[in-house]
Amino acid sequence: MRNLTVMALILYCALFIPGVVLANENLTPSGIPLKDLESYVDEYVEEFIGETTAGANVVVVKDNQIVLSKGYGYADIKSKIPMDPGTSILEWGSVSKLFVWVSVMQLVEQGKIDLNEDIRHYLPDGFLTKLTYDEPITMLHLMNHSAGFEDRIFDLGYASKEKVESLEEGLKKAEPNQIYPPGEVVAYSNFSTSLAAYIVERITEKEFDEYVSENILEIINMNHSLIHLPKEENEEIIQHVTKGYELIGIGEFRESTPFYMSMYPSGGMNGTTDDLAKFAMALMPQGNKKSILFDELDTLEQMLSTSYSANDNVPGIAHGFWEVDGKKKGFAHSGNTAAFSSNFHIVPEENFAVIVLTNQAGEADITFGLTKALIGESVFHPVANAPDSFDVEGTYISARRTDSGFLHLYYYLTPLKVKSLNENEIQISVMGMKGNYIQEEPYTYRFVNGDSVFLPMQTLYFQVDEGVVNQISTTYSDFLPMDKKGEMLAAHGILFLYCIVFFLVTALILLVRCSLHWRKKKAFSIMMRWNAALHLSGMALVVNVMVLMGRMLVNSNRAYSEIIIHFTLNYLFTFTCLLSMFFVIWNWRKETLTKWRVIVYSLSMLSSMLLITLLIYWQFYF
């Protein structure tokens, strides 16, 4: 009788008292009723679609059912083709990485991969040629993005699929230097993920796209998705490929170049939003059921357990998934390509998922903003007797950076600056964009407001040793104290600007003088000829460097072979500079020079040496 009474009371509460027993089944984790979900999302995205976002597909999953699947804006603006979660094919960007980690865990379950084994055990002898440290790199290091590799832009993506090579050849061509000891720094790495996929190829003796198609896509009926677009001939899917756009002004969009990858496991998947919803459901089996992707329930639980965290109060990494501290613990991954942005977020405890795909480069307002609104935030508890935020002030550089080659200059020009607003609040800024954070735990700060670019960086943890910040841990990558002073960078900038002005102005003056001499039929002395050669060589160096930087700004998705001509020209013009200087010095005593010419020739040589020194320092020769 007691049990019957209890059961009757529970049933009564569930049926007649809203919000008591089954309320969470009808709400998003943030508390939005599912019956109001569509209108809420409609109102939320209205501010951005057609203004700052070309188009978006939003799919929400609850209890293994799609409760919202809706497209907004256009898949093709010119032709007015609307977005459709069921048919529009979009680039998923780095959400593709999750299929690598699922593949790896399938092989872990089969005993074919040991997460703590040196990965060289699975690779051909001598495959990695740029390792700096003796400590072994493990699969866990690859999953946690802590193998120590620098970021490399060249040969990551191409505008033409004709340049795409096999995964093995793509890895060899794009191998980065190892700049950190394994396990010490989180530096997000496309190479690491693609290297893990190559290990899957080696073990299974199948190309990675074939393995994923057979062991993931087909199993969960993801029939409208492709792991490697250039290899496919599925016209039914190809005809629904969405156009990607770049924002050039409010309400103004420019169609972007295509994006093809040799290291496709890191970001080459294309598919529908509804298909990603199937993937989300496969990762959230209800009750004690095992996932269709694994033979054992423990494998999924292991995959969604913390594999790295900088601090107990900070969300970490769960075997390649990003942990998210919402109202309930979530697991996510976002993605960006040249013209697409995405966010994939699951909350297993609530059997809830949000998938947002957009055909807009660098989009964050919907991909992250809407997701945050539906997921909710954990309760905020400001810490008492917190360390003064002044302790963390400073300038920091991303650990995910190019360290070799001229592109490393970009990271020094776009540092992360931390400013104390009061004893418990800081403001961070990058390239003029700002975000405010409040201290929640000692040296742990939570984002409260600011530009949408900071939405992915919800939590900052400052690793402080004896009052000095050694590292900042964020969701995607660590930041390290700036190793070059701002005054030095400013001085270099001023000196380079001087070189630009000097050689361009003197080149114009030289042209005028040549014209005057030609009209008067007056010949240049040998000294003047070599000095002219010096000026022209310096001008050629300046112009070549400016063209190189301009090409990279217009389109960074380039093969290294496309820009090697600039390095070759830098060597050539540097040689002619040095040769000209030699002959200017050689002929110095053979001519009687006025003080003005002594000044001019000396300034020409000093300016040339200054320019060459700057180009060597900032690695513009390779």
Side-chain angles (χ1 to χ4, degrees):
M1 287 295 295
R2 182 180 301 168
N3 290 339
L4 288 173
T5 302
V6 171
M7 291 177 63
L9 180 61
I10 292 174
L11 182 60
Y12 173 81
C13 291
L15 294 175
F16 300 108
I17 304 180
V20 175
V21 177
L22 301 179
N24 68 326
E25 294 187 4
N26 298 310
L27 301 173
T28 70
S30 63
I32 301 168
L34 294 185
K35 64 182 180 61
D36 300 329
L37 180 60
E38 183 174 0
S39 60
Y40 179 89
V41 174
D42 288 351
E43 184 177 351
Y44 187 98
V45 304
E46 183 179 3
E47 178 183 353
F48 308 106
I49 296 297
E51 297 295 316
T52 59
T53 308
N57 283 329
V58 179
V59 175
V60 179
V61 173
K62 175 67 176 174
D63 295 331
N64 278 15
Q65 292 185 346
I66 293 178
V67 294
L68 175 68
S69 177
K70 193 168 183 179
Y72 301 89
Y74 293 111
D76 185 331
I77 295 176
K78 185 177 180 180
S79 302
K80 303 295 184 184
I81 299 175
M83 292 285 270
D84 186 325
T87 59
S88 298
I89 306 297
L90 291 89
E91 295 174 5
W92 295 353
S94 289
V95 172
S96 309
K97 291 178 172 66
L98 298 181
F99 292 80
V100 177
W101 307 130
V102 168
S103 301
V104 167
M105 292 305 297
Q106 288 176 338
L107 298 181
V108 168
E109 183 179 70
Q110 298 168 26
K112 296 178 179 178
I113 288 181
D114 182 343
L115 294 180
N116 295 297
E117 176 67 68
D118 188 331
I119 59 170
R120 286 175 290 192
H121 175 77
Y122 304 109
L123 296 170
D125 291 341
F127 187 81
L128 297 176
T129 63
K130 298 182 179 180
L131 298 182
T132 304
Y133 299 92
D134 294 330
E135 295 91 335
I137 297 173
T138 67
M139 182 62 73
L140 270 180
H141 289 142
L142 300 183
M143 291 177 142
N144 297 334
H145 297 274
S146 61
F149 296 119
E150 68 171 330
D151 200 25
R152 181 184 166 97
I153 294 178
F154 297 122
D155 297 300
L156 173 62
Y158 307 109
S160 171
K161 61 184 177 182
E162 283 70 30
K163 294 182 179 179
V164 174
E165 300 179 280
S166 68
L167 176 56
E168 179 178 0
E169 291 303 315
L171 286 166
K172 289 179 178 179
K173 180 175 288 188
E175 182 184 357
N177 293 320
Q178 187 187 35
I179 60 175
Y180 309 113
E184 292 193 7
V185 175
V186 174
Y188 188 78
S189 172
N190 289 298
F191 182 83
S192 290
T193 308
S194 293
L195 187 61
Y198 178 60
I199 290 173
V200 172
E201 277 195 357
R202 296 271 300 169
I203 292 173
T204 62
E205 297 182 345
K206 292 183 178 180
E207 291 191 17
F208 182 73
D209 60 306
E210 181 182 351
Y211 176 87
V212 170
S213 295
E214 293 178 1
N215 293 276
I216 300 179
L217 303 186
E218 291 178 9
I219 288 177
I220 55 182
N221 297 316
M222 295 177 65
N223 301 320
H224 300 91
S225 299
L226 307 171
I227 180 67
H228 194 17
L229 186 61
K231 295 186 63 176
E232 300 292 340
E233 300 297 337
N234 191 324
E235 290 300 326
E236 182 182 354
I237 291 178
I238 298 300
Q239 68 181 347
H240 290 108
V241 169
T242 302
K243 293 185 182 299
Y245 296 92
E246 301 171 15
L247 180 67
I248 57 176
I250 300 300
E252 296 181 70
F253 304 93
R254 177 176 59 205
E255 187 175 339
S256 182
T257 56
F259 188 76
Y260 302 102
M261 301 177 69
S262 294
M263 294 196 298
Y264 65 90
S266 289
M269 290 194 75
N270 292 253
T272 65
T273 321
D274 282 350
D275 266 10
L276 265 178
K278 295 177 183 178
F279 183 59
M281 288 186 274
L283 296 173
M284 298 188 297
Q286 293 184 287
N288 292 321
K289 295 181 180 179
K290 65 181 181 65
S291 169
I292 192 173
L293 297 170
F294 303 106
D295 292 331
E296 303 292 336
L297 178 61
D298 291 347
T299 307
L300 178 60
E301 292 178 349
Q302 180 185 3
M303 184 173 70
L304 297 182
S305 64
T306 303
S307 55
Y308 170 82
S309 180
N311 181 280
D312 291 340
N313 300 319
V314 181
I317 302 172
H319 300 87
F321 288 72
W322 307 113
E323 296 181 339
V324 182
D325 187 19
K327 278 198 171 181
K328 299 291 185 179
K329 187 175 183 179
F331 303 89
H333 211 296
S334 59
N336 280 284
T337 66
F340 291 82
S341 305
S342 59
N343 198 10
F344 175 92
H345 192 124
I346 62 173
V347 187
E349 191 175 345
E350 293 279 336
N351 288 305
F352 187 84
V354 181
I355 301 101
V356 181
L357 302 182
T358 79
N359 58 341
Q360 172 67 56
E363 206 283 333
D365 294 303
I366 300 176
T367 50
F368 286 96
L370 176 61
T371 299
K372 181 180 179 181
L374 300 181
I375 297 300
E377 296 186 80
S378 59
V379 178
F380 181 70
H381 297 293
V383 64
N385 300 318
D388 196 314
S389 65
F390 181 79
D391 295 346
V392 302
E393 273 196 340
T395 304
Y396 303 87
I397 188 170
S398 175
R400 183 196 178 184
R401 69 178 191 268
T402 299
D403 191 63
S404 57
F406 74 97
L407 285 176
H408 81 297
L409 171 62
Y410 169 81
Y411 298 89
Y412 287 99
L413 297 178
T414 57
L416 178 79
K417 296 182 179 180
V418 180
K419 176 185 177 182
S420 173
L421 298 179
N422 55 57
E423 63 181 14
N424 218 34
E425 187 175 3
I426 61 173
Q427 183 179 80
I428 69 173
S429 60
V430 177
M431 298 177 66
M433 297 173 288
K434 298 178 180 179
N436 293 340
Y437 290 72
I438 294 180
Q439 193 167 195
E440 186 174 26
E441 297 287 344
Y443 297 119
T444 303
Y445 291 78
R446 181 193 289 194
F447 177 73
V448 287
N449 58 64
D451 288 297
S452 60
V453 70
F454 297 108
L455 285 170
M457 295 171 53
Q458 288 292 306
T459 305
L460 304 177
Y461 170 61
F462 294 81
Q463 299 185 31
V464 179
D465 183 19
E466 297 183 355
V468 177
V469 177
N470 294 325
Q471 205 163 308
I472 306 176
S473 296
T474 72
T475 305
Y476 295 94
S477 180
D478 291 345
F479 287 82
L480 304 173
M482 178 77 85
D483 58 353
K484 300 184 191 300
K485 293 185 177 181
E487 294 82 358
M488 185 272 281
L489 293 172
H492 280 214
I494 292 171
L495 291 173
F496 186 65
L497 181 60
Y498 158 78
C499 291
I500 293 174
V501 173
F502 176 83
F503 284 107
L504 292 181
V505 170
T506 54
L508 290 175
I509 294 173
L510 183 62
L511 287 174
V512 172
R513 290 193 65 193
C514 285
S515 177
L516 293 174
H517 275 64
W518 180 76
R519 287 182 181 180
K520 295 179 180 180
K521 298 182 180 180
K522 185 179 178 181
F524 279 113
S525 68
I526 295 178
M527 188 80 157
M528 294 174 65
R529 290 177 184 177
W530 282 114
N531 187 58
L534 180 59
H535 280 280
L536 292 175
S537 299
M539 184 194 69
L541 264 177
V542 166
V543 171
N544 185 54
V545 168
M546 292 174 69
V547 170
L548 169 60
M549 297 177 72
R551 290 185 69 197
M552 293 305 300
L553 286 173
V554 170
N555 180 16
S556 61
N557 300 317
R558 296 186 182 277
Y560 185 77
S561 58
E562 289 183 62
I563 64 162
I564 198 169
I565 180 62
H566 294 286
F567 302 136
T568 304
L569 290 175
N570 278 347
Y571 278 111
L572 175 62
F573 298 144
T574 299
F575 172 76
T576 58
C577 264
L578 295 175
L579 183 65
S580 299
M581 275 191 282
F582 171 79
F583 281 107
V584 167
I585 295 171
W586 181 266
N587 290 283
W588 191 284
R589 294 184 180 180
K590 296 181 180 181
E591 292 190 22
T592 302
L593 303 176
T594 63
K595 288 184 178 180
W596 172 247
R597 284 196 176 182
V598 170
I599 293 173
V600 170
Y601 293 158
S602 299
L603 191 59
S604 298
M605 289 188 289
L606 288 173
S607 299
S608 297
M609 289 305 302
L610 174 61
L611 176 60
I612 293 169
T613 301
L614 288 172
L615 296 182
I616 291 173
Y617 184 85
W618 292 107
Q619 304 179 42
F620 276 88
Y621 289 92
F622 59 91

